[in-house]
Amino acid sequence: PPKLVNEIFDLLPQELFANRNTTFLDPVCKTGVFLREIAKRLDKGLEKEIPDRQERINHIFSRQLFGIAITELTSLLSRRSVYCSKTANGKYSVCETFDNMQGNICFERLEHTWQNGRCVFCGANRANLDRGEALETHAYQFIHTEIPEEIFKMKFDVIVGNPPYQLSDGGFGRSASPIYQKFVQQAKKLNPRFLTMIIPSRWFAGGKGLNDFRIEMLNDNHIRKLVDFENATECFPGVDIAGGICYFLWERDTTGPCEVVNIHNGIETTASRTLNEFKTFIRHSHAVPILSLIHISEPTRPY
């Protein structure tokens, strides 16, 4: 929802939206809502520096906003949402400077790279997703490369997005393997100034291919804020995601404790914490002081 997207953008330094040189990337475009809401903020933030509205819009869309769609359909949806036209250079596009249909929201159909029945990039099961040219491959462009900076051949100040969460792994019933962690790790390779993504909270506990990602995240002191919804419906109305949902802010140039915000039944609890303070990640901040006392006193007690 746009309200949620703007709450995420409120985590960022707002001067980013008043700088004509700030570059933004959404590497997992679906409806284009992230890029659209950034465009609104830039349109307002650059009013004084670029007074002419059309010149300002041309600059924002051609020089500052970039996206990678996850499917051909979402590429059309995103362009329609951002440029007001499914073709960036179409008659109704609000940007006048593009000379191609994709603009800065690209999509390239890729095939998985199979090895021993699995994709070497995303771990997809060949039996499920080797389906020929007629069907979507779900070989997402952003993570199906060793060199993600080659996609646009540029650096980005801010990377944002809501990545795909899982892929069927061919197991029994509704078995699925998480994939969202690969987008976070790939985004870090680009070394942006800021990274913020909204992902399932199940990584807090690890398991199902998330153990290494869990260790990496809990020991990353560049994560400056973590907002956790225990009940995903408080974040995505009507959507049930087991384990809840969270979004985070990662800052390249600063380190320190993380501001952890727990939201449950509309009540927020906030604490400044070190994510790796215990072997098990403590989800509820109000429990940390109690556990800290136990942790301190326990070794001194003779048994």
Side-chain angles (χ1 to χ4, degrees), residues 1-2 4-6 8-9 17 24-26 28-40 65 81-82 159-163 196-198 236:
L4 173 63
V5 169
N6 281 289
I8 294 173
F9 290 154
F17 301 102
F24 299 84
L25 171 68
D26 178 356
V28 285
C29 286
K30 297 175 183 175
T31 65
V33 62
F34 282 91
L35 295 181
R36 188 186 69 220
E37 296 304 314
I38 294 172
K40 290 179 180 178
L65 298 184
S81 179
V82 177
I159 298 180
V160 302
N162 179 19
T196 179
M197 285 189 171
I198 183 163
F236 294 133

PDB file of all heavy atoms in Angstrom, residues 1-2 4-6 8-9 17 24-26 28-40 65 81-82 159-163 196-198 236:
ATOM      1  N   PRO A   1       0.819  -1.205   0.000  1.00  0.00           N
ATOM      2  CA  PRO A   1       0.000   0.000   0.000  1.00  0.00           C
ATOM      3  C   PRO A   1       0.861   1.267   0.000  1.00  0.00           C
ATOM      4  O   PRO A   1       1.919   1.285   0.642  1.00  0.00           O
ATOM      5  CB  PRO A   1      -0.797  -0.128   1.310  1.00  0.00           C
ATOM      6  CG  PRO A   1      -0.763  -1.582   1.648  1.00  0.00           C
ATOM      7  CD  PRO A   1       0.565  -2.073   1.153  1.00  0.00           C
ATOM      8  N   PRO A   2       0.444   2.341  -0.691  1.00  0.00           N
ATOM      9  CA  PRO A   2       1.235   3.581  -0.715  1.00  0.00           C
ATOM     10  C   PRO A   2       1.555   4.126   0.677  1.00  0.00           C
ATOM     11  O   PRO A   2       2.644   4.653   0.892  1.00  0.00           O
ATOM     12  CB  PRO A   2       0.329   4.541  -1.497  1.00  0.00           C
ATOM     13  CG  PRO A   2      -0.475   3.651  -2.383  1.00  0.00           C
ATOM     14  CD  PRO A   2      -0.722   2.407  -1.582  1.00  0.00           C
ATOM     15  N   LEU A   4       2.162   2.447   3.400  1.00  0.00           N
ATOM     16  CA  LEU A   4       3.286   1.674   3.913  1.00  0.00           C
ATOM     17  C   LEU A   4       4.580   2.062   3.205  1.00  0.00           C
ATOM     18  O   LEU A   4       5.630   2.225   3.845  1.00  0.00           O
ATOM     19  CB  LEU A   4       3.014   0.180   3.731  1.00  0.00           C
ATOM     20  CG  LEU A   4       4.169  -0.764   4.080  1.00  0.00           C
ATOM     21  CD1 LEU A   4       4.524  -0.666   5.550  1.00  0.00           C
ATOM     22  CD2 LEU A   4       3.812  -2.197   3.705  1.00  0.00           C
ATOM     23  N   VAL A   5       4.519   2.221   1.905  1.00  0.00           N
ATOM     24  CA  VAL A   5       5.702   2.613   1.137  1.00  0.00           C
ATOM     25  C   VAL A   5       6.255   3.935   1.652  1.00  0.00           C
ATOM     26  O   VAL A   5       7.472   4.100   1.828  1.00  0.00           O
ATOM     27  CB  VAL A   5       5.364   2.708  -0.365  1.00  0.00           C
ATOM     28  CG1 VAL A   5       6.493   3.363  -1.137  1.00  0.00           C
ATOM     29  CG2 VAL A   5       5.067   1.317  -0.928  1.00  0.00           C
ATOM     30  N   ASN A   6       5.375   4.874   1.942  1.00  0.00           N
ATOM     31  CA  ASN A   6       5.838   6.171   2.427  1.00  0.00           C
ATOM     32  C   ASN A   6       6.366   6.102   3.850  1.00  0.00           C
ATOM     33  O   ASN A   6       7.261   6.872   4.220  1.00  0.00           O
ATOM     34  CB  ASN A   6       4.723   7.206   2.295  1.00  0.00           C
ATOM     35  CG  ASN A   6       4.595   7.726   0.882  1.00  0.00           C
ATOM     36  OD1 ASN A   6       5.444   8.470   0.409  1.00  0.00           O
ATOM     37  ND2 ASN A   6       3.556   7.311   0.181  1.00  0.00           N
ATOM     38  N   ILE A   8       8.089   3.622   4.872  1.00  0.00           N
ATOM     39  CA  ILE A   8       9.446   3.122   4.627  1.00  0.00           C
ATOM     40  C   ILE A   8      10.351   4.264   4.179  1.00  0.00           C
ATOM     41  O   ILE A   8      11.483   4.413   4.659  1.00  0.00           O
ATOM     42  CB  ILE A   8       9.417   1.993   3.589  1.00  0.00           C
ATOM     43  CG1 ILE A   8       8.683   0.768   4.150  1.00  0.00           C
ATOM     44  CG2 ILE A   8      10.828   1.615   3.148  1.00  0.00           C
ATOM     45  CD1 ILE A   8       8.450  -0.332   3.136  1.00  0.00           C
ATOM     46  N   PHE A   9       9.871   5.111   3.274  1.00  0.00           N
ATOM     47  CA  PHE A   9      10.679   6.227   2.790  1.00  0.00           C
ATOM     48  C   PHE A   9      10.933   7.265   3.873  1.00  0.00           C
ATOM     49  O   PHE A   9      11.922   8.012   3.795  1.00  0.00           O
ATOM     50  CB  PHE A   9      10.007   6.880   1.580  1.00  0.00           C
ATOM     51  CG  PHE A   9      10.024   6.026   0.348  1.00  0.00           C
ATOM     52  CD1 PHE A   9       9.052   6.174  -0.634  1.00  0.00           C
ATOM     53  CD2 PHE A   9      11.002   5.072   0.148  1.00  0.00           C
ATOM     54  CE1 PHE A   9       9.060   5.380  -1.774  1.00  0.00           C
ATOM     55  CE2 PHE A   9      11.030   4.275  -0.981  1.00  0.00           C
ATOM     56  CZ  PHE A   9      10.053   4.439  -1.949  1.00  0.00           C
ATOM     57  N   PHE A  17      15.624  13.549  -1.320  1.00  0.00           N
ATOM     58  CA  PHE A  17      14.553  13.857  -2.272  1.00  0.00           C
ATOM     59  C   PHE A  17      14.602  15.308  -2.752  1.00  0.00           C
ATOM     60  O   PHE A  17      13.764  15.719  -3.546  1.00  0.00           O
ATOM     61  CB  PHE A  17      13.192  13.558  -1.631  1.00  0.00           C
ATOM     62  CG  PHE A  17      13.033  12.132  -1.199  1.00  0.00           C
ATOM     63  CD1 PHE A  17      13.167  11.781   0.140  1.00  0.00           C
ATOM     64  CD2 PHE A  17      12.783  11.136  -2.128  1.00  0.00           C
ATOM     65  CE1 PHE A  17      13.034  10.459   0.542  1.00  0.00           C
ATOM     66  CE2 PHE A  17      12.649   9.812  -1.733  1.00  0.00           C
ATOM     67  CZ  PHE A  17      12.780   9.465  -0.394  1.00  0.00           C
ATOM     68  N   PHE A  24      17.909   6.246  -7.523  1.00  0.00           N
ATOM     69  CA  PHE A  24      17.118   5.229  -6.830  1.00  0.00           C
ATOM     70  C   PHE A  24      16.929   4.021  -7.744  1.00  0.00           C
ATOM     71  O   PHE A  24      16.693   4.170  -8.945  1.00  0.00           O
ATOM     72  CB  PHE A  24      15.739   5.782  -6.471  1.00  0.00           C
ATOM     73  CG  PHE A  24      15.754   6.974  -5.551  1.00  0.00           C
ATOM     74  CD1 PHE A  24      15.941   8.262  -6.045  1.00  0.00           C
ATOM     75  CD2 PHE A  24      15.560   6.822  -4.185  1.00  0.00           C
ATOM     76  CE1 PHE A  24      15.941   9.365  -5.204  1.00  0.00           C
ATOM     77  CE2 PHE A  24      15.559   7.916  -3.331  1.00  0.00           C
ATOM     78  CZ  PHE A  24      15.752   9.191  -3.837  1.00  0.00           C
ATOM     79  N   LEU A  25      16.966   2.833  -7.137  1.00  0.00           N
ATOM     80  CA  LEU A  25      16.723   1.593  -7.882  1.00  0.00           C
ATOM     81  C   LEU A  25      15.732   0.726  -7.126  1.00  0.00           C
ATOM     82  O   LEU A  25      15.905   0.468  -5.931  1.00  0.00           O
ATOM     83  CB  LEU A  25      18.028   0.805  -8.061  1.00  0.00           C
ATOM     84  CG  LEU A  25      17.880  -0.616  -8.633  1.00  0.00           C
ATOM     85  CD1 LEU A  25      17.413  -0.576 -10.088  1.00  0.00           C
ATOM     86  CD2 LEU A  25      19.196  -1.398  -8.515  1.00  0.00           C
ATOM     87  N   ASP A  26      14.687   0.284  -7.832  1.00  0.00           N
ATOM     88  CA  ASP A  26      13.817  -0.784  -7.352  1.00  0.00           C
ATOM     89  C   ASP A  26      14.108  -2.000  -8.224  1.00  0.00           C
ATOM     90  O   ASP A  26      13.672  -2.053  -9.375  1.00  0.00           O
ATOM     91  CB  ASP A  26      12.345  -0.390  -7.456  1.00  0.00           C
ATOM     92  CG  ASP A  26      11.410  -1.509  -6.992  1.00  0.00           C
ATOM     93  OD1 ASP A  26      11.908  -2.604  -6.659  1.00  0.00           O
ATOM     94  OD2 ASP A  26      10.185  -1.296  -6.978  1.00  0.00           O
ATOM     95  N   VAL A  28      12.997  -4.967  -8.077  1.00  0.00           N
ATOM     96  CA  VAL A  28      11.939  -5.984  -8.073  1.00  0.00           C
ATOM     97  C   VAL A  28      10.574  -5.320  -8.334  1.00  0.00           C
ATOM     98  O   VAL A  28       9.624  -5.496  -7.579  1.00  0.00           O
ATOM     99  CB  VAL A  28      11.913  -6.760  -6.731  1.00  0.00           C
ATOM    100  CG1 VAL A  28      13.060  -7.732  -6.660  1.00  0.00           C
ATOM    101  CG2 VAL A  28      11.986  -5.798  -5.533  1.00  0.00           C
ATOM    102  N   CYS A  29      10.489  -4.558  -9.411  1.00  0.00           N
ATOM    103  CA  CYS A  29       9.263  -3.815  -9.716  1.00  0.00           C
ATOM    104  C   CYS A  29       8.085  -4.768  -9.936  1.00  0.00           C
ATOM    105  O   CYS A  29       8.187  -5.738 -10.685  1.00  0.00           O
ATOM    106  CB  CYS A  29       9.449  -2.969 -10.965  1.00  0.00           C
ATOM    107  SG  CYS A  29      10.469  -1.516 -10.729  1.00  0.00           S
ATOM    108  N   LYS A  30       6.969  -4.432  -9.303  1.00  0.00           N
ATOM    109  CA  LYS A  30       5.722  -5.183  -9.488  1.00  0.00           C
ATOM    110  C   LYS A  30       4.647  -4.252 -10.044  1.00  0.00           C
ATOM    111  O   LYS A  30       4.271  -4.337 -11.204  1.00  0.00           O
ATOM    112  CB  LYS A  30       5.290  -5.816  -8.173  1.00  0.00           C
ATOM    113  CG  LYS A  30       6.294  -6.841  -7.633  1.00  0.00           C
ATOM    114  CD  LYS A  30       5.906  -7.354  -6.266  1.00  0.00           C
ATOM    115  CE  LYS A  30       6.948  -8.304  -5.722  1.00  0.00           C
ATOM    116  NZ  LYS A  30       6.654  -8.738  -4.338  1.00  0.00           N
ATOM    117  N   THR A  31       4.169  -3.336  -9.202  1.00  0.00           N
ATOM    118  CA  THR A  31       3.173  -2.352  -9.662  1.00  0.00           C
ATOM    119  C   THR A  31       3.792  -0.989  -9.901  1.00  0.00           C
ATOM    120  O   THR A  31       3.116  -0.092 -10.402  1.00  0.00           O
ATOM    121  CB  THR A  31       2.051  -2.195  -8.625  1.00  0.00           C
ATOM    122  OG1 THR A  31       2.594  -1.633  -7.420  1.00  0.00           O
ATOM    123  CG2 THR A  31       1.396  -3.526  -8.327  1.00  0.00           C
ATOM    124  N   GLY A  32       5.051  -0.808  -9.520  1.00  0.00           N
ATOM    125  CA  GLY A  32       5.707   0.484  -9.683  1.00  0.00           C
ATOM    126  C   GLY A  32       5.451   1.455  -8.548  1.00  0.00           C
ATOM    127  O   GLY A  32       5.849   2.617  -8.634  1.00  0.00           O
ATOM    128  N   VAL A  33       4.818   0.992  -7.457  1.00  0.00           N
ATOM    129  CA  VAL A  33       4.429   1.909  -6.388  1.00  0.00           C
ATOM    130  C   VAL A  33       5.635   2.560  -5.725  1.00  0.00           C
ATOM    131  O   VAL A  33       5.588   3.748  -5.368  1.00  0.00           O
ATOM    132  CB  VAL A  33       3.547   1.186  -5.344  1.00  0.00           C
ATOM    133  CG1 VAL A  33       4.293   0.056  -4.664  1.00  0.00           C
ATOM    134  CG2 VAL A  33       2.998   2.172  -4.320  1.00  0.00           C
ATOM    135  N   PHE A  34       6.748   1.847  -5.581  1.00  0.00           N
ATOM    136  CA  PHE A  34       7.930   2.443  -4.949  1.00  0.00           C
ATOM    137  C   PHE A  34       8.461   3.598  -5.795  1.00  0.00           C
ATOM    138  O   PHE A  34       8.703   4.696  -5.281  1.00  0.00           O
ATOM    139  CB  PHE A  34       9.019   1.388  -4.746  1.00  0.00           C
ATOM    140  CG  PHE A  34       8.790   0.486  -3.573  1.00  0.00           C
ATOM    141  CD1 PHE A  34       8.090  -0.708  -3.716  1.00  0.00           C
ATOM    142  CD2 PHE A  34       9.267   0.816  -2.315  1.00  0.00           C
ATOM    143  CE1 PHE A  34       7.883  -1.545  -2.635  1.00  0.00           C
ATOM    144  CE2 PHE A  34       9.061  -0.020  -1.223  1.00  0.00           C
ATOM    145  CZ  PHE A  34       8.354  -1.205  -1.380  1.00  0.00           C
ATOM    146  N   LEU A  35       8.660   3.361  -7.084  1.00  0.00           N
ATOM    147  CA  LEU A  35       9.183   4.409  -7.955  1.00  0.00           C
ATOM    148  C   LEU A  35       8.199   5.563  -8.080  1.00  0.00           C
ATOM    149  O   LEU A  35       8.603   6.738  -8.132  1.00  0.00           O
ATOM    150  CB  LEU A  35       9.506   3.828  -9.333  1.00  0.00           C
ATOM    151  CG  LEU A  35      10.628   2.792  -9.386  1.00  0.00           C
ATOM    152  CD1 LEU A  35      10.846   2.315 -10.814  1.00  0.00           C
ATOM    153  CD2 LEU A  35      11.928   3.350  -8.807  1.00  0.00           C
ATOM    154  N   ARG A  36       6.920   5.268  -8.109  1.00  0.00           N
ATOM    155  CA  ARG A  36       5.910   6.332  -8.229  1.00  0.00           C
ATOM    156  C   ARG A  36       5.931   7.252  -7.012  1.00  0.00           C
ATOM    157  O   ARG A  36       5.877   8.476  -7.148  1.00  0.00           O
ATOM    158  CB  ARG A  36       4.519   5.715  -8.389  1.00  0.00           C
ATOM    159  CG  ARG A  36       3.432   6.738  -8.715  1.00  0.00           C
ATOM    160  CD  ARG A  36       2.075   6.090  -8.705  1.00  0.00           C
ATOM    161  NE  ARG A  36       1.676   5.695  -7.355  1.00  0.00           N
ATOM    162  CZ  ARG A  36       1.036   4.560  -7.061  1.00  0.00           C
ATOM    163  NH1 ARG A  36       0.753   3.695  -8.010  1.00  0.00           N
ATOM    164  NH2 ARG A  36       0.696   4.290  -5.814  1.00  0.00           N
ATOM    165  N   GLU A  37       6.016   6.662  -5.816  1.00  0.00           N
ATOM    166  CA  GLU A  37       6.027   7.477  -4.603  1.00  0.00           C
ATOM    167  C   GLU A  37       7.340   8.248  -4.456  1.00  0.00           C
ATOM    168  O   GLU A  37       7.346   9.365  -3.927  1.00  0.00           O
ATOM    169  CB  GLU A  37       5.774   6.600  -3.374  1.00  0.00           C
ATOM    170  CG  GLU A  37       4.395   5.952  -3.365  1.00  0.00           C
ATOM    171  CD  GLU A  37       3.259   6.967  -3.486  1.00  0.00           C
ATOM    172  OE1 GLU A  37       3.292   7.996  -2.786  1.00  0.00           O
ATOM    173  OE2 GLU A  37       2.333   6.723  -4.297  1.00  0.00           O
ATOM    174  N   ILE A  38       8.448   7.686  -4.939  1.00  0.00           N
ATOM    175  CA  ILE A  38       9.703   8.447  -4.964  1.00  0.00           C
ATOM    176  C   ILE A  38       9.570   9.635  -5.896  1.00  0.00           C
ATOM    177  O   ILE A  38      10.004  10.751  -5.581  1.00  0.00           O
ATOM    178  CB  ILE A  38      10.874   7.546  -5.414  1.00  0.00           C
ATOM    179  CG1 ILE A  38      11.150   6.458  -4.380  1.00  0.00           C
ATOM    180  CG2 ILE A  38      12.141   8.382  -5.628  1.00  0.00           C
ATOM    181  CD1 ILE A  38      12.150   5.416  -4.846  1.00  0.00           C
ATOM    182  N   ALA A  39       8.958   9.398  -7.064  1.00  0.00           N
ATOM    183  CA  ALA A  39       8.778  10.482  -8.038  1.00  0.00           C
ATOM    184  C   ALA A  39       7.983  11.640  -7.441  1.00  0.00           C
ATOM    185  O   ALA A  39       8.299  12.815  -7.664  1.00  0.00           O
ATOM    186  CB  ALA A  39       8.092   9.955  -9.294  1.00  0.00           C
ATOM    187  N   LYS A  40       6.966  11.336  -6.668  1.00  0.00           N
ATOM    188  CA  LYS A  40       6.171  12.387  -6.025  1.00  0.00           C
ATOM    189  C   LYS A  40       7.028  13.222  -5.084  1.00  0.00           C
ATOM    190  O   LYS A  40       6.931  14.450  -5.040  1.00  0.00           O
ATOM    191  CB  LYS A  40       5.003  11.768  -5.259  1.00  0.00           C
ATOM    192  CG  LYS A  40       3.910  11.162  -6.121  1.00  0.00           C
ATOM    193  CD  LYS A  40       2.812  10.565  -5.244  1.00  0.00           C
ATOM    194  CE  LYS A  40       1.703   9.944  -6.059  1.00  0.00           C
ATOM    195  NZ  LYS A  40       0.658   9.326  -5.201  1.00  0.00           N
ATOM    196  N   LEU A  65      15.385   7.732 -11.482  1.00  0.00           N
ATOM    197  CA  LEU A  65      14.579   6.560 -11.146  1.00  0.00           C
ATOM    198  C   LEU A  65      14.859   5.395 -12.094  1.00  0.00           C
ATOM    199  O   LEU A  65      14.766   5.547 -13.318  1.00  0.00           O
ATOM    200  CB  LEU A  65      13.090   6.905 -11.200  1.00  0.00           C
ATOM    201  CG  LEU A  65      12.591   7.976 -10.234  1.00  0.00           C
ATOM    202  CD1 LEU A  65      11.086   8.129 -10.359  1.00  0.00           C
ATOM    203  CD2 LEU A  65      12.974   7.641  -8.801  1.00  0.00           C
ATOM    204  N   SER A  81       2.166   2.762 -14.185  1.00  0.00           N
ATOM    205  CA  SER A  81       2.054   3.449 -12.906  1.00  0.00           C
ATOM    206  C   SER A  81       3.002   4.633 -12.811  1.00  0.00           C
ATOM    207  O   SER A  81       2.639   5.697 -12.288  1.00  0.00           O
ATOM    208  CB  SER A  81       2.341   2.461 -11.770  1.00  0.00           C
ATOM    209  OG  SER A  81       2.259   3.083 -10.514  1.00  0.00           O
ATOM    210  N   VAL A  82       4.221   4.475 -13.319  1.00  0.00           N
ATOM    211  CA  VAL A  82       5.247   5.511 -13.167  1.00  0.00           C
ATOM    212  C   VAL A  82       5.190   6.545 -14.282  1.00  0.00           C
ATOM    213  O   VAL A  82       5.176   7.757 -14.033  1.00  0.00           O
ATOM    214  CB  VAL A  82       6.646   4.858 -13.105  1.00  0.00           C
ATOM    215  CG1 VAL A  82       7.739   5.923 -13.031  1.00  0.00           C
ATOM    216  CG2 VAL A  82       6.737   3.930 -11.901  1.00  0.00           C
ATOM    217  N   ILE A 159      18.595   1.803  -2.757  1.00  0.00           N
ATOM    218  CA  ILE A 159      17.935   0.628  -3.329  1.00  0.00           C
ATOM    219  C   ILE A 159      16.752   0.285  -2.437  1.00  0.00           C
ATOM    220  O   ILE A 159      16.893   0.198  -1.208  1.00  0.00           O
ATOM    221  CB  ILE A 159      18.885  -0.571  -3.446  1.00  0.00           C
ATOM    222  CG1 ILE A 159      20.041  -0.229  -4.387  1.00  0.00           C
ATOM    223  CG2 ILE A 159      18.148  -1.807  -3.959  1.00  0.00           C
ATOM    224  CD1 ILE A 159      21.050  -1.364  -4.561  1.00  0.00           C
ATOM    225  N   VAL A 160      15.583   0.125  -3.037  1.00  0.00           N
ATOM    226  CA  VAL A 160      14.352  -0.142  -2.287  1.00  0.00           C
ATOM    227  C   VAL A 160      13.605  -1.283  -2.969  1.00  0.00           C
ATOM    228  O   VAL A 160      13.840  -1.580  -4.135  1.00  0.00           O
ATOM    229  CB  VAL A 160      13.443   1.105  -2.236  1.00  0.00           C
ATOM    230  CG1 VAL A 160      14.162   2.284  -1.604  1.00  0.00           C
ATOM    231  CG2 VAL A 160      12.951   1.489  -3.638  1.00  0.00           C
ATOM    232  N   GLY A 161      12.681  -1.911  -2.239  1.00  0.00           N
ATOM    233  CA  GLY A 161      11.855  -2.899  -2.922  1.00  0.00           C
ATOM    234  C   GLY A 161      11.182  -3.896  -2.006  1.00  0.00           C
ATOM    235  O   GLY A 161      11.455  -3.974  -0.805  1.00  0.00           O
ATOM    236  N   ASN A 162      10.299  -4.661  -2.611  1.00  0.00           N
ATOM    237  CA  ASN A 162       9.555  -5.736  -1.962  1.00  0.00           C
ATOM    238  C   ASN A 162       9.775  -6.984  -2.813  1.00  0.00           C
ATOM    239  O   ASN A 162       9.024  -7.245  -3.751  1.00  0.00           O
ATOM    240  CB  ASN A 162       8.072  -5.363  -1.887  1.00  0.00           C
ATOM    241  CG  ASN A 162       7.219  -6.444  -1.253  1.00  0.00           C
ATOM    242  OD1 ASN A 162       7.725  -7.317  -0.562  1.00  0.00           O
ATOM    243  ND2 ASN A 162       5.923  -6.394  -1.514  1.00  0.00           N
ATOM    244  N   PRO A 163      10.815  -7.770  -2.518  1.00  0.00           N
ATOM    245  CA  PRO A 163      11.199  -8.874  -3.403  1.00  0.00           C
ATOM    246  C   PRO A 163      10.237 -10.045  -3.335  1.00  0.00           C
ATOM    247  O   PRO A 163       9.463 -10.173  -2.381  1.00  0.00           O
ATOM    248  CB  PRO A 163      12.579  -9.281  -2.868  1.00  0.00           C
ATOM    249  CG  PRO A 163      12.538  -8.906  -1.423  1.00  0.00           C
ATOM    250  CD  PRO A 163      11.718  -7.645  -1.358  1.00  0.00           C
ATOM    251  N   THR A 196      16.763  -0.394   1.715  1.00  0.00           N
ATOM    252  CA  THR A 196      15.598  -0.729   2.524  1.00  0.00           C
ATOM    253  C   THR A 196      14.699  -1.664   1.727  1.00  0.00           C
ATOM    254  O   THR A 196      14.373  -1.394   0.568  1.00  0.00           O
ATOM    255  CB  THR A 196      14.816   0.529   2.976  1.00  0.00           C
ATOM    256  OG1 THR A 196      13.679   0.141   3.742  1.00  0.00           O
ATOM    257  CG2 THR A 196      14.399   1.395   1.810  1.00  0.00           C
ATOM    258  N   MET A 197      14.352  -2.793   2.344  1.00  0.00           N
ATOM    259  CA  MET A 197      13.467  -3.764   1.712  1.00  0.00           C
ATOM    260  C   MET A 197      12.486  -4.301   2.740  1.00  0.00           C
ATOM    261  O   MET A 197      12.782  -4.321   3.943  1.00  0.00           O
ATOM    262  CB  MET A 197      14.260  -4.927   1.098  1.00  0.00           C
ATOM    263  CG  MET A 197      14.978  -4.576  -0.184  1.00  0.00           C
ATOM    264  SD  MET A 197      15.674  -6.040  -1.008  1.00  0.00           S
ATOM    265  CE  MET A 197      16.197  -5.318  -2.573  1.00  0.00           C
ATOM    266  N   ILE A 198      11.341  -4.713   2.257  1.00  0.00           N
ATOM    267  CA  ILE A 198      10.334  -5.311   3.127  1.00  0.00           C
ATOM    268  C   ILE A 198      10.275  -6.799   2.815  1.00  0.00           C
ATOM    269  O   ILE A 198      10.105  -7.205   1.659  1.00  0.00           O
ATOM    270  CB  ILE A 198       8.963  -4.623   2.961  1.00  0.00           C
ATOM    271  CG1 ILE A 198       7.950  -5.214   3.941  1.00  0.00           C
ATOM    272  CG2 ILE A 198       8.461  -4.645   1.525  1.00  0.00           C
ATOM    273  CD1 ILE A 198       6.722  -4.346   4.123  1.00  0.00           C
ATOM    274  N   PHE A 236       0.163  -5.758   5.605  1.00  0.00           N
ATOM    275  CA  PHE A 236      -0.523  -6.046   4.346  1.00  0.00           C
ATOM    276  C   PHE A 236      -1.932  -6.539   4.671  1.00  0.00           C
ATOM    277  O   PHE A 236      -2.130  -7.735   4.925  1.00  0.00           O
ATOM    278  CB  PHE A 236       0.210  -7.127   3.552  1.00  0.00           C
ATOM    279  CG  PHE A 236       1.568  -6.739   3.054  1.00  0.00           C
ATOM    280  CD1 PHE A 236       2.648  -7.595   3.214  1.00  0.00           C
ATOM    281  CD2 PHE A 236       1.780  -5.536   2.414  1.00  0.00           C
ATOM    282  CE1 PHE A 236       3.908  -7.258   2.748  1.00  0.00           C
ATOM    283  CE2 PHE A 236       3.030  -5.186   1.941  1.00  0.00           C
ATOM    284  CZ  PHE A 236       4.101  -6.048   2.112  1.00  0.00           C
TER     285      PHE A 236
END
